[in-house]
Every structure is written in structure tokens, then in C-alpha cells.
Amino acid sequence: MDTQLPLRIMEAVGLLHRLGYLGLRILPGINASGTAWRIVIHNVTEWNPEDKFGDPFNSEESCVYSTAGANVFNNDVQMPEDVSRVSVAEAILEAMPSLQRSTPGETGNLDYVRWYAQLLSQVTRLDELPVAYADYFDDSEGWELGWGSDRRFPAPPRYLPEPDAPLVPAKAGHRDEHYVLDLCAEVLGMPFSGQQTFDWLRGEPSLKSGKRKALPVDGYFEALGLVVEYHERQHSEPVPFFDNKVTSAGMLRGAQRKLYDARKAALIPQHGLTLLVIDYRDFFHKKGKIVRDPARDREIVAALLARAAECSDPGVVTNFPVPLAETLAER
């Protein structure tokens, strides 16, 4: 390969799988002229069942790369020649803010994650890139390892999106964020919009593109004018693996998380909404994970929701302080 970036992209997806971002999938192929390898990284939460590949090129959040762009990742991120898989993983997370860690049962993507690990081992051993599609390419025998090599690897497991789950407390395997939000929905008797974005709530501009991506909130109960954020340990304690990495905005990730927490606390009430921050420390927990007792936890959530409902004016409701230094007006 003329550049190591394609292999580092493949490795970065495998790394993110191991870190719990199990919804990631890739679609690699050859461009129409047959001169360049390209890949799109997408999230199964945006899967379009009408397309056999899930229609990733039309996803709202994705990452793309082409060997025609040498060391430029996702159109505007210039990577160094000795780029690491960690740097690529960071760029993926930055470009896909809605991507969340999940448990094996949440995404329905576990078979794919296992398949991908086997694919990556072959890609690394052969130093060849996978091809899922190209003009006049017969994919009935699986993906090709190395364009024109005729070496085949079985096609990935099909993804079949599951129907929406009913509004009941999340199953034991679900992440604490989803468990808490589902408890909120049960207490309130209404659904919420997950990963809702607002045009007035955006992150810092990318140093490369100047773009400011929308910051999603965990749960939004529109009828109540209520935003619910669940804070895991990383909101109050350092996370060494990622916190010291530099984001596309030129900030350390840990500092950026605090900035964005403060921005939400400042801007959400300014726009007429109440922000309820539910912290893992509100519950019985072990090493930051909730020790689940649905009846007890429902009472905890109900008390917090009652406090939010009592607010005569939009504000922030929480048992633990959130950063309030960010008071920037809308930009």
C-alpha cells in the first residue's frame, strides 16, 4: 500500500468494537473507474433495510475515505504518514457524536463484530484490503481480499433491525443510560427522543473545516419541555484512554467533555427547556455501574422527575454540580 491509513482505518474500527462501540460497520469497495479503494464507516442505528448494504452513504453520520485522497480522512482530516489506529478511532468518534457504547444485545450486531475480527486478522496477515462491491463485481462468493486477487472471505452477517422495544425498564444487558431513560419514560408514561439535536446547541469548530457539529442530548421529552442527561463516571472522573487525546477542535477530550456539559447547562434553559441531569451517584453503584433494583431505581428517578416538574422557570435540576463556566451566547 502507498499509505498506511487504509489499514489503520480497519484497525481503528476493530479497536472501537473492543471498546464497546459495537454498532460500527464498514462498506469497502472500488470506485467506478477502478482506480481507488474507498470505505464508508457507519452505524447500524441508521441502517436502511431497503438497501442490502444499509445505504451507508446517505447516513447522517458516517466517515469516508478513498485512497485517491492519500492521507486525508473523512474529506478534511489530514493524517500523518505514521498515523496510529488510536488517532483514526478518535477521528471516527469526533465525526459520529451520536455513536454510543453498547452491550452485545443492544445493537443486534454481535455476529458482525465477531466476523469483523476474523476479517481484520486476514487483512493484516495478507496486507490486502477487502472489497465488497465494484462495477461488474460478483459478490455472491463473498468479499474479495485484495482487488483482483480472487481470494474470497465470507460476506458479513445480515443485519435485521429489531422492532422498537416497549416502554419498560431496559433489560439487564442494556447500558445504564438506556436503563435510566427507560425508567423516566415509564414514570412519565410517554416516550422520549433519543440523541435529539438542536441547531442552537453545537460543539466547537473543527480546526480543519470550521464546521460545528450538533451536540446530541440523551433524552428529550418534547411535550414536557424536558431534557434528560445521564452522567456516567467520565463526566466526573478522568478516563485516561481518551481524555488526553486531542479532538478535531484542538482540545483535550476530557476538557471538551466538561465544556460541552457546561454549554448544555447554560443553553438548554436559555431556550426554554428544563435540564435534568441524572448521575450514576444517584443510585447504588459499583465501580460506576448501577446495581440495578428496578423498584428502588424507579423511585429515585420519580423523585428527580418530580423536582424537575416543580420548576416554575427552565433551569438545571441535579444532585451533583455540573460545570457552569460555559456561558457563551448563541453562535
Side-chain angles (χ1 to χ4, degrees):
M1 295 179 219
D2 294 333
T3 171
Q4 290 298 306
L5 184 52
L7 181 57
R8 298 296 173 260
I9 292 171
M10 297 286 299
E11 291 173 343
V13 172
L15 171 62
L16 289 170
H17 280 164
R18 293 194 296 277
L19 290 173
Y21 296 93
L22 304 182
L24 280 179
R25 284 201 173 210
I26 67 166
L27 179 60
I30 301 296
N31 66 358
S33 64
T35 58
W37 180 84
R38 61 180 184 173
I39 187 172
V40 57
I41 304 165
H42 59 115
N43 191 344
V44 293
T45 58
E46 294 194 66
W47 189 270
N48 181 354
E50 295 182 359
D51 180 83
K52 71 176 182 177
F53 296 124
D55 198 19
F57 287 101
N58 287 316
S59 297
E60 291 188 11
E61 291 183 0
S62 63
C63 290
V64 295
Y65 170 76
S66 170
T67 52
N71 287 318
V72 177
F73 178 69
N74 207 28
N75 298 320
D76 60 10
V77 181
Q78 179 67 52
M79 294 294 188
E81 291 287 342
D82 59 347
V83 61
S84 70
R85 61 180 182 172
V86 173
S87 295
V88 178
E90 279 286 295
I92 293 171
L93 292 177
E94 190 67 27
M96 302 174 67
S98 295
L99 184 65
Q100 299 291 319
R101 288 185 176 94
S102 57
T103 61
E106 285 181 299
T107 62
N109 205 41
L110 182 57
D111 287 343
Y112 179 89
V113 171
R114 292 168 175 161
W115 170 89
Y116 187 88
Q118 296 175 10
L119 172 70
L120 182 58
S121 69
Q122 293 298 308
V123 168
T124 303
R125 183 178 67 84
L126 296 171
D127 196 28
E128 294 283 7
L129 298 173
V131 175
Y133 69 90
D135 285 354
Y136 313 110
F137 176 66
D138 181 6
D139 64 0
S140 63
E141 297 180 16
W143 290 13
E144 194 170 37
L145 293 177
W147 181 230
S149 70
D150 205 31
R151 287 188 297 262
R152 296 295 181 125
F153 191 83
R158 292 183 61 196
Y159 177 66
L160 299 174
E162 297 181 359
D164 292 337
L167 290 176
V168 296
K171 296 180 180 179
H174 285 197
R175 290 179 57 223
D176 283 349
E177 174 192 320
H178 300 156
Y179 172 71
V180 170
L181 287 170
D182 283 348
L183 283 173
C184 290
E186 181 185 3
V187 169
L188 295 171
M190 63 177 63
F192 61 88
S193 297
Q195 298 300 302
Q196 175 74 37
T197 59
F198 306 94
D199 190 58
W200 43 264
L201 185 59
R202 293 184 174 273
E204 291 293 281
S206 164
L207 296 179
K208 296 291 185 181
S209 67
K211 296 179 181 178
R212 301 179 66 228
K213 293 184 178 295
L215 299 178
V217 298
D218 295 336
Y220 177 45
F221 293 88
E222 183 175 9
L224 301 178
L226 175 66
V227 171
V228 178
E229 286 273 285
Y230 177 67
H231 280 190
E232 297 175 321
R233 289 180 69 177
Q234 64 263 34
H235 290 268
S236 54
E237 298 180 21
V239 181
F241 184 84
F242 279 132
D243 279 3
N244 294 327
K245 306 301 181 186
V246 178
T247 69
S248 65
M251 300 179 65
L252 294 180
R253 180 169 288 278
Q256 182 171 283
R257 183 185 299 112
K258 292 180 180 179
L259 177 68
Y260 289 173
D261 285 347
R263 184 165 298 175
K264 290 177 179 180
L267 293 185
I268 288 173
Q270 285 183 23
H271 286 81
L273 304 174
T274 295
L275 171 61
L276 172 60
V277 178
I278 301 178
D279 194 280
Y280 77 94
R281 292 168 291 183
D282 287 313
F283 304 89
F284 289 90
H285 65 90
K286 184 176 182 180
K287 295 183 178 180
K289 299 297 183 183
I290 298 174
V291 179
R292 299 183 186 183
D293 180 332
R296 180 188 63 206
D297 298 340
R298 191 180 298 109
E299 292 182 2
I300 294 171
V301 167
L304 287 164
L305 288 169
R307 283 178 53 195
E310 291 171 357
C311 293
S312 56
D313 296 311
V316 180
V317 177
T318 178
N319 285 330
F320 298 91
V322 295
L324 295 175
E326 169 74 357
T327 57
L328 299 177
E330 297 175 62
R331 292 197 242 173

